[in-house]
Amino acid sequence: MHLFLFSMVVVVYTLAMAGNTAMVLLIWADARLHTPMYFLLSQLSFLDIFFTSVTVPKMIAGFLFGWTSISFVGCGAQMFFFMFLGAAECLLLALMAYDRYVAICNPLRYPSLMSHQTCLLMVAASWLGGSINASVQTALTLQFPYCGSRKIAHFFCEVPSLLRLACADTAAYEQVLFVTGVVVLLLPIAFITTSYALILAAVLGMHSVEGRQKALATCSSHLTVVNLFYGPLVYTYMLPASYHSPGQDDVVSIFYTVLTPMLNPVIYSLRNKEVTGAMKKVIGKCRVGRTA
């Protein structure tokens, strides 16, 4: 079982890194993909590369060499970057929903509303929001005294698992954690839901069957990623501690730390003709280069 788990984690992490790196390079290399939607998608893949690298390499080292200890500073750093990149991805997914809303509901104003400068501001806002969230959460979590057991019942330093080890009353902080969850999780979910309700109304009113299918294919890919990422996070950070157990938290955490970053490139490429077309073009060039 030990070897099996190690093999699975290595395979999934390798696929996640390869898929997201390929997506970033593909969007950068193909001029047809130099649009706001694909720019934001490349930023999502960029975040996923680092997000999964915060926890998985340490997990692999634990499986391979038995290195299951981590320093207090290392734990704080891991928690900060996990919260930073996770919150930034939450905000970016919401902004990607706005991009789809403008593209489908206001296509004539799309070039002006989604200019390159606007896209850069969106990405900067998601990174800034993530850094503020991580700074507050990490500082508040680490200020508690940890005078009992230092054994974390989890595969990485995550806030709920650390709070179980605190030697002080964490009830007030758990309320702060809930409010933060509302801002970082529920508000983006409400924004995404509203955007897609308006998109659905616009799509149903389209006369072109081809345009309707293209819009639904693009939006369904984004909604799939949203559900896979937000669902487990809402369970971890919004439900009271009484609903959690270490075993359940481990399984749920696997979804947003490993599986979702691996599946994102697959989901966005399978139902997207422009991405698959660009991929075929690159593969064709590689074959011609080898033949020559």
Side-chain angles (χ1 to χ4, degrees):
M1 181 59 69
H2 185 83
L3 184 61
F4 172 75
L5 290 173
F6 167 74
S7 303
M8 288 297 296
V9 170
V10 169
V11 169
V12 172
Y13 178 64
T14 303
L15 290 174
M17 293 296 288
N20 284 291
T21 302
M23 185 66 77
V24 172
L25 294 176
L26 192 66
I27 292 171
W28 174 76
D30 196 306
R32 292 175 301 175
L33 303 181
H34 292 177
T35 62
M37 182 182 81
Y38 292 111
F39 173 74
L40 295 176
L41 179 56
S42 70
Q43 295 303 307
L44 179 66
S45 292
F46 187 73
L47 281 174
D48 276 337
I49 290 170
F50 290 98
F51 183 60
T52 192
S53 297
V54 170
T55 56
V56 179
K58 176 68 177 172
M59 193 196 313
I60 291 172
F63 278 128
L64 190 60
F65 304 109
W67 297 343
T68 56
S69 62
I70 187 169
S71 67
F72 188 75
V73 174
C75 186
Q78 188 182 60
M79 184 165 49
F80 173 82
F81 285 108
F82 176 80
M83 300 286 286
F84 166 42
L85 295 165
E89 186 160 337
C90 286
L91 297 173
L92 185 62
L93 285 169
L95 295 172
M96 290 173 71
Y98 172 75
D99 168 73
R100 291 299 83 210
Y101 161 75
V102 175
I104 294 170
C105 299
N106 294 289
L108 296 179
R109 299 180 62 197
Y110 185 72
S112 59
L113 291 175
M114 290 300 297
S115 64
H116 186 64
Q117 184 178 5
T118 303
C119 292
L120 291 175
L121 287 174
M122 284 181 166
V123 173
S126 65
W127 283 71
L128 179 62
S131 64
I132 293 172
N133 172 71
S135 299
V136 172
Q137 297 290 356
T138 304
L140 290 176
T141 303
L142 295 183
Q143 57 93 25
F144 285 109
Y146 295 95
C147 50
S149 172
R150 297 295 180 95
K151 186 175 182 180
I152 302 171
H154 205 16
F155 61 87
F156 70 100
C157 292
E158 195 171 18
V159 173
S161 59
L162 279 176
L163 290 181
R164 295 193 194 100
L165 305 179
C167 302
D169 183 15
T170 61
Y173 175 51
E174 286 176 11
Q175 294 298 318
V176 174
L177 195 64
F178 179 82
V179 172
T180 306
V182 170
V183 174
V184 177
L185 294 173
L186 295 190
L187 286 182
I189 289 173
F191 185 79
I192 291 168
T193 304
T194 304
S195 297
Y196 276 100
L198 296 172
I199 287 171
L200 182 61
V203 168
L204 292 176
M206 287 181 177
H207 299 292
S208 170
V209 176
E210 184 181 351
R212 191 183 306 166
Q213 289 176 343
K214 184 178 179 181
L216 288 174
T218 304
C219 294
S220 63
S221 299
H222 185 231
L223 280 176
T224 304
V225 171
V226 165
N227 288 327
L228 285 172
F229 190 69
Y230 278 99
L233 282 172
V234 168
Y235 168 85
T236 301
Y237 288 95
M238 299 301 297
L239 291 182
S242 57
Y243 288 85
H244 293 261
S245 70
Q248 288 176 338
D249 286 351
D250 284 351
V251 173
V252 172
S253 297
I254 286 289
F255 275 91
Y256 53 80
T257 56
V258 185
L259 291 180
T260 304
M262 180 196 72
L263 292 174
N264 281 354
V266 178
I267 293 168
Y268 277 110
S269 60
L270 282 179
R271 302 196 64 184
N272 193 308
K273 292 181 180 178
E274 291 171 330
V275 173
T276 52
M279 205 174 296
K280 288 175 182 176
K281 183 180 175 182
V282 170
I283 293 171
K285 284 183 178 180
C286 291
R287 286 177 178 174
V288 170
R290 286 180 180 179
T291 306

